Structure formats: C-alpha cells, structure tokens
Amino acid sequence: MEHKNMTTLTRRGFAKSAAAVAGTAILTRPLRAVSQGNKTLRIGWVGAGERGTVDVEICLQNDANTELVAVADVFQDRIDGALKRLKDRVGDRVKVTPDTTFLGFDGYKKILEMPEVDIVFLTTPPNFRPVMLRETIEAGKHCFAEKPGAVDPVGIRLLLETAELAKKKNLSIVPGMQQRFMGQYHEVIKRVQDGAIGDIRHLGSYWVGTMMDWHYQPRESCKSDLEWQIRAWPHFTWLSGDCCVEQLVHNLDISNWVAGTLPEQVRGLGGRIVRKEPEWGGNVYDHFAFDYDYPGNLKSLGTNAQIGNISSKVCNTVSGSKGFAYMWRNTGFIKSELGDYSYDGSTDGEGPMFRAMCDGIRKGEPVNMCQTLAEATMCAILGRISTYTGRALSWKWGMQSKLDLTPRRALAFEGEFPYDPAPLVGQVNPI
C-alpha cells in the first residue's frame, strides 16, 4: 500500500483535508461518562499482563454493561494475579470460571470458539498481534488490540488486509492509541491545521525517558529461555519490535495525524550503549533518532531513549511560520503571533476510547482504526530497520520488505531458545 502523493497541496491544505481520517469524527460522538447501552458486551481477554489488566479494568469501569468472561495466557501466575486485581476493583463484573480460563500458546483459539464472546482484547507481546487479530476478525469478533500492531513489514501487511476484512464484516478494531481520543490533541491539531501557527514547517515526536529496566528480569529468575524472553518481552526485538516500535509509535502517530499523510523516507541512527552484557540480556537498543521526509519538504524528527538518569521529554511538537504547538497527555497549547491557545478541558483518552468502542458496537457503527495502527507502527519499524542497516529507506521499500522476525522454531518452554545479539549499525542487510 502506498500513500497518496500530496506534494501539489500546501502543508496546511493536505493536513486539513485529512482531519476526518485522523479520527475527529470519533470524538464528536456524544460520549457519556459511563456508557449505559442495553446490550451486555462480553469480553474474552488474551495476554493477562500489566498493561492488559489496566485496559480491561478501564473498559469495565467506563461501560456499565460489559463483563469479562474468559482469559488466556501462557503463565498461570499472570492469570491469577490479574483476576485478583480485577475482582478487587470491579467485583462481580468478572465472570471468568475455570472452564473459561485457558493456559498455553493456543489458549486464544479457545476464546475465539466461544459464541458468547463479543469483544476480544489482545494485549500479548506485539509479535503475536497480526495473526491473533486476523483470526479474531475471521471468527466474527470485535477487537481491542494494544499497540504496536506488529514488529515487521510482514505483520504490517497482514494488519492492512485485516483492516479491510473488518470493514467487510462490520467489525471494530480499536487500538490502544488513547491520544486519538484526548481532547487536547483534537483541539490543538484542528487549530494547527486551520493555520493557527502559519505554515507547518517541522514536526517533533519525542519519547525520551528512563525506563531501561521496564519489564526486565534476569535470566536466572526463569526456568527456560523462552519463559524469560516472554516475561521480559520489551527487551527482545522479535517480541517487541525494539523500544522505538513499542513506545515511540504513539508519538509518530500524532505526527502522521498533523501532517495528514505518511512519510516518504526515513534515516535512522541509534545504538545500545547502556544495556550491556552481562548485566543486561536481550538485544534491543536503548536510543534512536529518526529523520523523516514527508511530502512537500516537511521534515519530522522522532527520538526515543530508555536510559537511566537522563532528562525526560515525552511529547509532540509542531513548528510553524507563525508559532509553535505542544501536545502531551496532560496538556496542549499554542504560542503564536496569531494568538495563543491553551486547552483546559478533560485530558482523559482511555475512557472515551473504550466508550466509543462499546457504543459503536451497540449502534452497529463499529470503530475500525486498524489502518491507523498499521501506518503508525510501520513508521517506527521503518526507522528501526533504517537504523540497523545504516540505510535511508523509503516507505515503498518498507511495504515490500520480506522481513519477518517470528522465530522459525516451535514455541516451547522446554530446551534452549537462543536469540540473536543486538545488531551493529550498518552491518545488517535490508531484506
């Protein structure tokens, strides 16, 4: 899939023309504080980790007629801990029984076979997302899928095919991209696209922080190689896509939204300077910088780091000929010769995200954002591949790449499960 060539339009013009695609129509729906639709929506949940537990809890809290009826994971302790937390917080809305608790890599298939399940929550490590999402839609279920959507171009192409299948089957695919539902992003981006800072000159996407030990645990704490890799999934590229794909995808999505199109090319740099063996296992980098070329000579910078004791910067910026815009999850403002603006409304995005999903299902107007998820994820993947290979890479090349990070060996907790060392910049061949 190639994006439209919009170089004949002004940046402000093509950004404004894409407002509907960016999701503005979603936020204009009347969303109640807690959805009260009559139909009870039953959730089957795959991947009972930390983030998934938060997602299920927020959904149940924001829609009074939802229930969790099934769960699947490869670790029993994760299932037990997640269900205890949810029962403590949302009580009898948790309807999971031993018969609807599934352990193992094929547990999700058992959930897809349950006729009573309306929505499947996919919150596993990202490598599993494209196949599980495709099978979910084929089974006729609506889906909430955490970001990112994939870890390689093969997965991206499957996501785009699934997006079209969901349209044909009138099914929802809502990704964990809560910024798309936050008022400050909608209000600031609308004003920027309407010319509040003049012509758009430069975009900035930043997720620079100290989370270098996020989900990390030493190898000796686990019984097998594969158990260790799955429990410490952000630290293995085949599972997470590297930190830029897992984290920076949020911010790259906002740059796409502001630009109203997709980048034509990226140049990446990065490395692994702090996560060193033997203290740190895994093979992900700890910092990246991406230089994107959008149509119309629009430039965009994306930076990502997970390094301790550094100054954090997590936000999106837009520089224009007349001013500057800033957006993050707790604020949004514009400083401009044409007039300043500061957002003062609700900054909640997760509640509106789940209410929009459930309301849309009940009304027969499903929210399908799978293409948005795929495109944002591909921006990060292309940046990572550019960094590893040392090459400037085009969007067209990326969409034709045959790179597939899924291991060829069967997934099993018995025996060895080796992984490749972290690549050196410029010493990886593009595939």
Side-chain angles (χ1 to χ4, degrees):
M1 175 182 173
E2 295 182 41
H3 56 276
K4 297 178 180 179
N5 186 340
M6 306 181 77
T7 56
T8 59
L9 300 178
T10 65
R11 293 173 192 153
R12 186 189 309 171
F14 71 62
K16 189 174 180 180
S17 70
V21 177
T24 307
I26 294 171
L27 200 69
T28 59
R29 296 176 180 175
L31 299 178
R32 297 170 291 279
V34 177
S35 292
Q36 299 285 348
N38 293 328
K39 176 178 170 54
T40 297
L41 299 175
R42 295 178 173 85
I43 297 168
W45 175 26
V46 183
E50 176 184 308
R51 181 64 233 183
T53 305
V54 172
D55 288 330
V56 173
E57 179 182 341
I58 293 174
C59 182
L60 295 175
Q61 289 174 337
N62 277 272
D63 191 288
N65 288 319
T66 50
E67 298 174 346
L68 177 66
V69 299
V71 62
D73 200 286
V74 295
F75 300 126
Q76 187 65 50
D77 64 297
R78 290 285 175 85
I79 292 175
D80 294 342
L83 291 180
K84 182 182 185 303
R85 169 176 166 165
L86 290 171
K87 287 177 180 177
D88 288 344
R89 300 195 179 195
V90 293
D92 61 3
R93 306 278 295 289
V94 179
K95 308 287 188 180
V96 178
T97 69
D99 289 339
T100 61
T101 301
F102 306 106
L103 192 65
F105 288 105
D106 63 349
Y108 77 97
K109 293 179 181 289
K110 307 290 181 60
I111 289 179
L112 298 183
E113 293 170 356
M114 295 175 61
E116 62 268 39
V117 169
D118 301 294
I119 311 170
V120 176
F121 274 48
L122 297 178
T123 59
T124 65
N127 175 276
F128 305 110
R129 196 95 69 240
V131 171
M132 288 185 176
L133 180 53
R134 177 55 174 251
E135 292 185 26
T136 297
I137 298 304
E138 288 177 341
K141 312 291 188 186
H142 300 280
C143 187
F144 170 80
E146 260 302 344
K147 58 78 209 166
V151 298
D152 50 45
V154 170
I156 292 297
R157 290 195 292 273
L158 184 56
L159 283 182
L160 292 170
E161 292 172 5
T162 301
E164 292 303 313
L165 181 62
K167 288 179 184 178
K168 293 177 182 177
K169 301 187 75 168
N170 205 37
L171 293 171
S172 294
I173 300 177
V174 175
M177 303 170 79
Q178 57 268 46
Q179 291 168 191
R180 287 275 179 163
F181 296 84
M182 292 180 174
Q184 68 270 34
Y185 286 89
H186 283 263
E187 292 301 324
V188 170
I189 291 173
K190 179 180 182 299
R191 285 167 170 78
V192 167
Q193 292 175 341
D194 285 342
I197 61 172
D199 291 333
I200 300 172
R201 296 279 176 82
H202 187 270
L203 307 172
S205 304
Y206 305 92
W207 196 306
V208 176
T210 60
M211 297 170 61
M212 62 183 296
D213 61 349
W214 185 54
H215 282 283
Y216 189 75
Q217 58 189 84
R219 167 64 183 86
E220 55 268 25
S221 67
C222 298
K223 295 179 180 179
S224 71
D225 290 348
L226 185 57
E227 178 188 351
W228 174 48
Q229 291 176 38
I230 293 178
R231 288 188 184 273
W233 62 269
H235 299 265
F236 296 90
T237 302
W238 78 270
L239 282 163
S240 69
D242 212 319
C243 59
C244 60
V245 176
E246 203 291 320
Q247 271 190 334
L248 190 61
V249 62
H250 277 301
N251 309 74
L252 297 176
D253 175 53
I254 300 305
S255 288
N256 288 345
W257 182 1
V258 174
T261 188
L262 302 173
E264 296 176 321
Q265 183 173 259
V266 63
R267 297 168 182 83
L269 290 173
R272 182 180 170 99
I273 58 173
V274 178
R275 288 175 169 143
K276 293 183 178 180
E277 301 280 5
E279 181 183 0
W280 293 92
N283 59 2
V284 297
Y285 280 13
D286 48 36
H287 67 285
F288 288 93
F290 302 143
D291 178 22
Y292 292 97
D293 297 330
Y294 281 80
N297 296 318
L298 177 61
K299 303 290 288 186
S300 178
L301 172 67
T303 62
N304 176 224
Q306 294 180 339
I307 299 174
N309 300 314
I310 64 172
S311 297
S312 296
K313 183 175 184 179
V314 185
C315 63
N316 278 83
T317 62
V318 187
S319 298
S321 58
K322 300 292 184 180
F324 172 85
Y326 177 98
M327 292 161 281
W328 183 228
R329 296 185 182 182
N330 61 359
T331 189
F333 62 82
I334 292 172
K335 298 291 184 182
S336 174
E337 298 173 18
L338 305 176
D340 294 347
Y341 169 78
S342 181
Y343 178 77
D344 62 358
S346 170
T347 58
D348 177 28
E350 293 170 323
M353 176 174 67
F354 288 114
R355 294 196 296 271
M357 178 181 71
C358 294
D359 286 351
I361 291 170
R362 292 192 182 97
K363 294 176 182 177
E365 301 172 358
V367 178
N368 181 353
M369 297 174 61
C370 190
Q371 181 175 335
T372 298
L373 172 64
E375 291 170 347
T377 303
M378 187 61 193
C379 286
I381 290 172
L382 195 63
R384 182 200 71 216
I385 300 173
S386 174
T387 301
Y388 286 3
T389 62
R391 307 280 188 88
L393 297 175
S394 71
W395 185 271
K396 182 177 181 179
W397 177 90
M399 292 306 299
Q400 297 172 348
S401 168
K402 297 179 176 60
L403 181 63
D404 183 350
L405 298 182
T406 301
R408 295 296 174 258
R409 61 180 59 84
L411 300 182
F413 289 123
E414 298 78 22
E416 295 184 349
F417 202 89
Y419 62 93
D420 294 330
L424 295 176
V425 173
Q427 297 189 21
V428 176
N429 292 322
I431 299 175

